[in-house]
Amino acid sequence: MSDAVSGCIRPRTTVTEAEVEALVHGICFKTGPPRRLGVEVEWLVHEMHAPRLPVAPERLEAVYAALRTVPLRSALTVEPGGQLELSSLPAASLTECVGTVSGDLDAVRAVLREDGLALVGLGHDPWHTPRRFLRQPRYDAMEACLDRTGPAGRFMMCTSASVQVCLDAGHEEPGPLGHVRRWWLAHHLGAVLLAAFANSPLARDRPTGWRSTRQLRWTQIGTGRAGGPPLDSDPRGAWTRHVLDAPVMCVRRDGGPWDVPEGMTFREWTRERTPRAPTREDLDYHLTTLFPPVRPRGHLELRMIDAQPGDDGWIVPLAVTAALFDDQEATETAYRAVKPLAERALGLPAPHNPLYRDAARYALADPELREAAVTCFTAALAALPRLGATTGITDAVAGYLERYVLRGRCPADDLLDAPDFASRGPHGRETRP
């Protein structure tokens, strides 16, 4: 959500259906040799010594005001529930990306620590119910729109956090690094990444029955808002149709609440042109209100990974994903490993298919997902030196492979195995109800 356009933009040049189709077709997959890498890391913000207590909005406002004076190389944004996000600039290498974001996180943590607050790597808040921190027309409209499908939207907005990996779309021509293969691989490997890094089994102090409750929330929001298009040999065409046929979240206004139409697709908006004709800016905004597990933004944004435990836990999914997409040998291995899983999707778009549902519920306790994860993590570990990764990065991936993947576990299992988690926070300190 951090990439959304803020505020209201006055209508400019209106667009027709054909113009929208041409624009989406041209801007969402920018092909070329994979050279750039990025990451967006979201965090819950909790009281350091009493994480079960909600942080007062006034304290969040004060600490975020202080953070805006800190020079950072990553973009710092705040999510609707007060979660904090750092979005890296495109980096020329994995090592560069890790170094930049790690330095920024150190600076952010120092400011939070002075006020007794901490960044917490969990995909879904285990204690707190949704509570809006940001009061803006965008989020008022989003809440009104998502409430139509139930409470999942508020949980997504206010109590979830993730690691989002951004990759180049790939070559125009066919092959392991071609954009068609990478689009297909992102969706099917995405289920393996979802399972391997599941880290949100609790809500309201209780197990939900899902290793990734965060993914459950996204699925509950529905196919139009949080689903992807059917996979075929023309990713541009499939995505363009999906964008046009997706419901419009809101129609922005210069003053007062934004309109929240019910059931109007962007295609219908271009044809009916009410309550006003859509503009190029409306299209740009509409693209930010679609939340599929793989989102093409010129590059590919993988959105299915839960926030990870520990200060540096986010590095492992970034490194594994980069290796499996940008090293040709690892890419081929990953493609062969996940190809058998495709049958379990039943041809249905992610995440609303049995493959993603099983990944979110069972994670690596699922034998096929575990087997694919072992193969993929092993290939990624072998590829990291070829990508120039540091010893620290490769050691982190090796440790994760040993601790979790080879054992058919994920971080969610650690939380479920800890009988005192309800009374101890993620920092291991006693909490007060």
Side-chain angles (χ1 to χ4, degrees):
M1 284 175 282
S2 66
D3 53 6
V5 180
S6 61
C8 186
I9 300 176
R10 296 180 184 275
R12 296 179 182 172
T13 305
T14 61
V15 288
T16 65
E17 181 179 347
E19 288 168 338
V20 170
E21 185 173 351
L23 285 166
V24 176
H25 199 273
I27 65 178
C28 288
F29 288 86
K30 295 179 182 177
T31 53
R35 291 195 182 102
R36 297 285 179 174
L37 177 69
V39 68
E40 300 176 18
V41 285
E42 294 176 339
W43 304 85
L44 304 177
V45 178
H46 284 173
E47 295 279 359
M48 186 177 293
H49 299 291
R52 287 176 61 121
L53 295 178
V55 182
E58 297 76 15
R59 290 185 65 204
L60 285 178
E61 289 174 359
V63 77
Y64 288 150
L67 282 173
R68 292 187 183 98
T69 69
V70 177
L72 302 172
R73 288 168 290 180
S74 306
L76 185 147
T77 50
V78 179
E79 298 294 313
Q83 311 98 304
L84 184 147
E85 178 178 280
L86 284 181
S87 302
S88 74
L89 294 172
S93 70
L94 172 61
T95 298
E96 177 188 329
C97 188
V98 169
T100 297
V101 177
S102 294
D104 288 342
L105 283 170
D106 287 344
V108 168
R109 288 193 177 96
V111 173
L112 293 176
R113 196 179 304 117
E114 291 179 1
D115 200 31
L117 300 176
L119 298 179
V120 178
L122 289 167
H124 191 281
D125 197 303
W127 303 295
H128 304 134
T129 55
R131 182 186 62 165
R132 283 269 303 283
F133 170 67
L134 296 181
R135 293 290 171 183
Q136 300 172 1
R138 164 180 168 80
Y139 296 122
D140 292 343
M142 178 181 286
E143 185 175 272
C145 176
L146 297 180
D147 278 351
R148 290 170 177 161
T149 58
R154 295 196 182 204
F155 280 98
M156 177 276 290
M157 291 174 64
C158 300
T159 67
S160 69
S162 68
V163 176
Q164 298 174 18
V165 180
C166 300
L167 305 153
D168 283 333
H171 292 282
E172 185 67 28
E173 61 270 16
L177 300 182
H179 76 283
V180 175
R181 172 77 73 87
R182 285 164 76 86
W183 177 246
W184 185 95
L185 182 62
H187 285 85
H188 294 92
L189 179 60
V192 177
L193 298 173
L194 164 61
F197 296 111
N199 186 37
S200 52
L202 306 169
R204 295 175 173 173
D205 276 339
R206 296 175 185 161
T208 63
W210 297 73
R211 261 54 166 212
S212 179
T213 302
R214 174 183 164 272
Q215 183 59 57
L216 170 64
R217 302 298 188 203
W218 281 114
T219 304
Q220 291 171 330
I221 288 171
T223 58
R225 184 70 51 204
L231 295 181
D232 60 26
S233 59
D234 178 21
R236 288 189 180 96
W239 178 249
T240 299
R241 291 188 294 273
H242 182 73
V243 169
L244 277 164
D245 292 332
V248 173
M249 176 177 284
C250 54
V251 177
R252 297 172 297 162
R253 300 174 59 185
D254 290 324
W258 295 359
D259 294 330
V260 185
E262 186 165 5
M264 180 178 74
T265 68
F266 205 91
R267 189 188 302 277
E268 291 169 339
W269 193 9
T270 64
R271 294 176 178 179
E272 298 171 9
R273 306 176 85 74
T274 57
R276 58 170 175 80
T279 67
R280 168 66 189 269
E281 292 75 28
D282 290 318
L283 172 61
D284 293 341
Y285 188 84
H286 176 63
L287 291 170
T288 72
T289 68
L290 304 180
F291 309 117
V294 183
R295 187 164 67 173
R297 303 294 310 280
H299 55 273
L300 300 183
E301 184 181 84
L302 275 65
R303 305 172 51 87
M304 71 289 295
I305 302 169
D306 282 354
Q308 294 298 287
D311 289 352
D312 299 325
W314 59 275
I315 294 175
V316 176
L318 171 64
V320 169
T321 306
L324 294 176
F325 276 86
D326 291 346
D327 180 88
Q328 186 163 337
E329 183 178 336
T331 297
E332 283 286 9
T333 300
Y335 176 75
R336 291 194 297 269
V338 304
K339 196 171 183 180
L341 297 175
E343 295 181 4
R344 292 175 58 175
L346 302 180
L348 300 174
H352 299 88
N353 62 44
L355 176 61
Y356 269 71
R357 188 162 54 247
D358 290 346
R361 183 186 287 275
Y362 305 115
L364 296 189
D366 182 291
E368 287 186 298
L369 286 166
R370 175 184 178 181
E371 181 181 357
V374 170
T375 300
C376 290
F377 272 70
T378 302
L381 186 60
L384 285 172
R386 297 193 291 267
L387 296 180
T390 64
T391 301
I393 294 174
T394 56
D395 286 349
V397 173
Y400 198 96
L401 173 62
E402 173 64 31
R403 178 176 180 179
Y404 293 115
V405 180
L406 291 175
R407 302 179 185 183
R409 293 177 59 84
C410 62
D413 294 310
D414 291 347
L415 299 176
L416 293 172
D417 288 348
D420 59 348
F421 187 83
S423 60
R424 289 181 179 271
H427 307 294
R429 301 182 178 93
E430 291 291 342
T431 66
R432 297 187 298 273

